[in-house]
């Protein structure tokens, strides 16, 4: 083992120590890249950093990131999610577990317009938690439903994570969008089936809504549902539909989605300069974080591989002569375990590129692997100790203890593992739609 390889392992160990110590990941990446790069490569490390910077800035599809982020935040201001949830609540008022169904269906539809997990969990928590508490719903199952539904936006396209994941793995973003639609809907189905079966076995977990919470007539329920759903369907067609049919690139589709969200906010009478300013401010913060992290991780990875550590790990794993299925299982286990302490960004940017040479050597379908990784990474938002969804919900539903929230989240992590196993066992779940649409 050469000095450069040892230095690379020291660089990786220092990164993990910095992450667990709570240092900002992007700045940690850059500092370690400069320090270990100069030790091992001298001035060439700075040349690598410059080349990587130009390469990232030249990736046109990344322009979709701030546009999708803005679309999500401006829709949060539009009040559409409130109308959509109220419509489902009224329509299903007499069904046991109606609020669970309403939360999951609202989250699924809203996920096609925004991949901002914090916004989704916070907003649906503000809407549903008080009604669930008032209707004597089980706190743990309620919290699990809200957090699980809110994280669907990270998987169901158009998702910011998928926009970033595509270039990292080297797959087409429209194809990746198509590959994640059916797995996303599969997870939604598992969530719905689980909550309905639980309420059928024990109706006390989610009793039918009291008379005071029901609509005056079915016409009122239908009107609320139509008002909430119609604009979302139009927006989905303008963004996701245009991308999947090839009418627009991901960046163009994101631009249409952002413009459509702004128009809907105006039509719903919710537009103010203060709300626009807040949406723009949040967009700048989130987009800067994602893109800066992408830039820093590319620099880190370039130095890490030039030191020889990345190829050394790849060659070691290849020498084990694992069958293709063994390579996939090893990758899924590593990603799942990393998802407990880390969020999706460092996993995609830092650790996934280490495994790419092994995946390519095994001749595996990169689109299928990307879909599997996307499904797997969704658990990062539901897996303690990071589990940011729990803290988003706790902030708007203080009546629920963190222990209850975690208890509910663990139930849905199990359902996600089932979905992951199904996509692993039946690749057609991810590959059928891209084949129909693009081949």
């Amino acid at each position: 083992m050469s000095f450069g390889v040892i230095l690379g392992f020291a660089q990786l160990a220092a990164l993990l120590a910095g992450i667990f110590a709570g240092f900002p990941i992007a700045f940690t990446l850059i500092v370690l890249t400069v320090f270990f790069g100069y030790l091992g490569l001298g001035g060439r490390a700075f040349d690598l950093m410059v080349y990587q910077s130009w390469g990232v800035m030249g990736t046109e599809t990344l322009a979709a990131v701030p546009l999708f982020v803005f679309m999500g935040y401006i829709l949060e201001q539009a009040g559409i999610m409130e109308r959509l949830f109220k419509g489902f609540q009224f329509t299903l008022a007499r069904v046991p577990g109606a609020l669970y169904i309403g939360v999951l269906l609202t989250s699924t539809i809203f996920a096609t317009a925004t991949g901002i997990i914090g916004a989704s969990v916070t907003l649906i928590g503000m809407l549903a938690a008080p009604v669930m508490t008032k209707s004597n719903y089980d706190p743990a199952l309620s919290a699990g439903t809200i957090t699980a539904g809110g994280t669907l936006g990270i998987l169901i396209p158009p998702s910011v994570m998928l926009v970033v994941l595509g270039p990292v793995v080297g797959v087409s973003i429209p194809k990746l969008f198509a590959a994640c639609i059916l797995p996303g809907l599969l997870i939604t189905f598992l969530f719905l089936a689980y909550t309905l079966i639980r309420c059928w076995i024990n109706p006390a977990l989610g009793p039918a809504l009291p008379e005071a919470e029901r609509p005056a007539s079915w016409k009122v329920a239908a009107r609320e549902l139509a008002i909430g759903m119609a604009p979302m369907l139009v927006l989905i067609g303008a963004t996701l539909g245009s991308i999947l049919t090839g009418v627009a690139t991901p960046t163009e589709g994101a631009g249409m989605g952002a413009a459509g969200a702004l128009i809907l906010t105006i039509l719903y009478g919710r537009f103010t300069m203060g709300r626009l300013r807040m949406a723009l401010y949040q967009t700048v913060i989130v987009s800067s974080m994602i893109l800066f992290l992408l830039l820093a991780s590319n620099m880190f990875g370039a130095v890490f591989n030039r030191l020889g550590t990345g190829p050394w790990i790849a060659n070691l794993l290849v020498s084990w002569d694992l069958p293709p299925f063994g390579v996939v299982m090893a990758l899924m286990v590593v990603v799942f375990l990393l998802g407990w302490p880390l969020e999706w960004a460092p996993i995609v940017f830092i650790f996934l590129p280490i495994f790419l040479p092994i995946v390519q050597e095994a001749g595996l379908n990169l689109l299928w692997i990307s879909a599997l990784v996307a499904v797997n990474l969704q658990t990062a938002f539901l897996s303690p100790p990071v589990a940011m969804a729990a803290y988003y919900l706790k902030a708007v539903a203080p009546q629920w203890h963190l222990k209850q929230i975690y208890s509910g989240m663990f139930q849905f992590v199990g359902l996600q593992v089932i979905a992951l196993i199904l996509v692993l066992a039946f690749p057609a779940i991810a590959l059928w739609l891209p084949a129909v649409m693009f081949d």
Side-chain angles (χ1 to χ4, degrees):
M1 187 181 297
S2 66
F3 174 71
V5 173
I6 296 173
L7 205 59
F9 277 116
Q11 180 186 11
L12 187 60
L15 172 64
L16 291 173
I19 291 174
F20 286 114
F23 291 110
I25 297 176
F27 292 104
T28 304
L29 285 167
I30 290 178
V31 169
L32 293 177
T33 299
V34 171
F35 179 75
F36 286 97
Y38 188 75
L39 277 181
L41 304 172
R44 287 181 299 162
F46 300 106
D47 296 333
L48 275 175
M49 294 173 69
V50 172
Y51 293 145
Q52 289 299 317
S53 299
W54 279 111
V56 170
M57 288 188 288
T59 307
E60 295 180 3
T61 53
L62 291 177
V65 171
L67 292 170
F68 278 132
V69 172
F70 176 75
M71 181 174 71
Y73 278 119
I74 203 69
L75 278 176
E76 179 188 356
Q77 308 287 342
I80 298 175
M81 199 172 188
E82 293 97 312
R83 302 299 291 267
L84 192 58
F85 176 70
K86 192 174 182 181
F88 283 124
Q89 178 185 341
F90 282 0
T91 304
L92 303 167
R94 291 172 172 78
V95 179
L99 293 178
Y100 298 137
I101 305 171
V103 165
L104 292 171
L105 292 179
T106 301
S107 300
T108 301
I109 294 174
F110 204 69
T112 60
T114 176
I116 311 302
I117 302 305
S120 297
V121 174
T122 300
L123 193 53
I124 198 67
M126 291 170 61
L127 294 173
V131 183
M132 287 175 154
T133 301
K134 186 176 179 181
S135 302
N136 295 318
Y137 271 51
D138 179 69
L141 190 56
S142 298
T145 303
I146 294 171
T147 51
T151 59
L152 288 170
I154 206 68
L155 175 63
I156 297 178
S159 158
V160 173
M161 185 187 76
L162 298 181
V163 173
V164 173
L165 178 62
V168 171
V169 180
V171 299
S172 161
I173 292 177
K175 287 186 177 181
L176 184 55
F177 279 2
C180 289
I181 289 176
L182 291 183
L185 295 178
L186 171 64
I187 291 177
T188 300
F189 172 78
L190 290 175
F191 289 172
L192 287 168
Y194 176 74
T195 52
L196 284 172
I197 291 172
R198 289 288 307 275
C199 292
W200 178 67
I201 295 173
N202 183 7
L205 294 175
L209 296 184
E211 290 293 336
E213 300 291 333
R214 298 181 184 181
S217 67
W218 67 268
K219 292 182 179 179
V220 175
R223 184 177 68 250
E224 287 291 331
L225 188 59
I227 292 173
M229 187 174 290
M232 290 298 296
L233 295 178
V234 173
L235 191 63
I236 293 167
T239 52
L240 186 58
S242 64
I243 294 171
L244 293 179
T245 56
V247 174
T249 65
T251 303
E252 292 167 345
M256 288 192 293
L262 196 57
I263 292 170
L264 287 177
T265 305
I266 295 171
L267 293 177
Y268 271 68
R270 298 289 294 267
F271 177 82
T272 65
M273 291 305 298
R275 285 176 174 153
L276 177 62
R277 190 181 302 112
M278 180 58 68
L280 288 171
Y281 177 71
Q282 291 171 321
T283 298
V284 169
I285 290 176
V286 173
S287 301
S288 300
M289 181 272 292
I290 292 173
L291 296 175
F292 189 32
L293 185 55
L294 174 61
L295 180 64
S297 63
N298 268 267
M299 295 177 182
F300 182 93
V303 169
F304 183 77
N305 284 320
R306 185 58 65 92
L307 289 172
T309 312
W312 188 89
I313 295 173
N315 291 331
L316 176 64
L317 293 176
V318 169
S319 68
W320 290 352
D321 200 24
L322 292 174
F325 185 77
V327 173
V328 177
M329 287 300 298
L331 175 60
M332 290 302 105
V333 169
V334 169
V335 172
F336 182 78
L337 293 177
L338 288 173
W340 286 68
L342 302 176
E343 293 191 52
W344 66 266
I347 298 173
V348 169
F349 293 143
I350 302 167
F351 297 100
L352 190 56
I354 295 175
F355 287 90
L356 275 180
I358 303 106
V359 172
Q360 292 168 336
E361 180 72 22
L364 297 167
N365 188 303
L366 290 180
L367 190 59
W368 176 52
I369 294 297
S370 300
L372 283 170
V373 170
V375 174
N376 205 336
L377 285 174
Q378 192 186 350
T379 62
F381 284 91
L382 294 176
S383 306
V386 175
M388 291 305 299
Y391 303 106
Y392 294 139
L393 180 58
K394 179 63 177 175
V396 296
Q399 70 271 24
W400 292 336
H401 299 296
L402 204 56
K403 184 178 179 180
Q404 293 174 315
I405 297 175
Y406 279 151
S407 174
M409 291 169 68
F410 270 121
Q411 300 175 46
F412 288 88
V413 169
L415 295 173
Q416 287 181 317
V417 172
I418 293 173
L420 181 64
I421 293 172
L422 289 174
V423 178
L424 187 63
F426 304 101
I429 296 175
L431 299 179
W432 176 78
L433 193 56
V436 169
M437 299 191 69
F438 297 101
D439 294 342

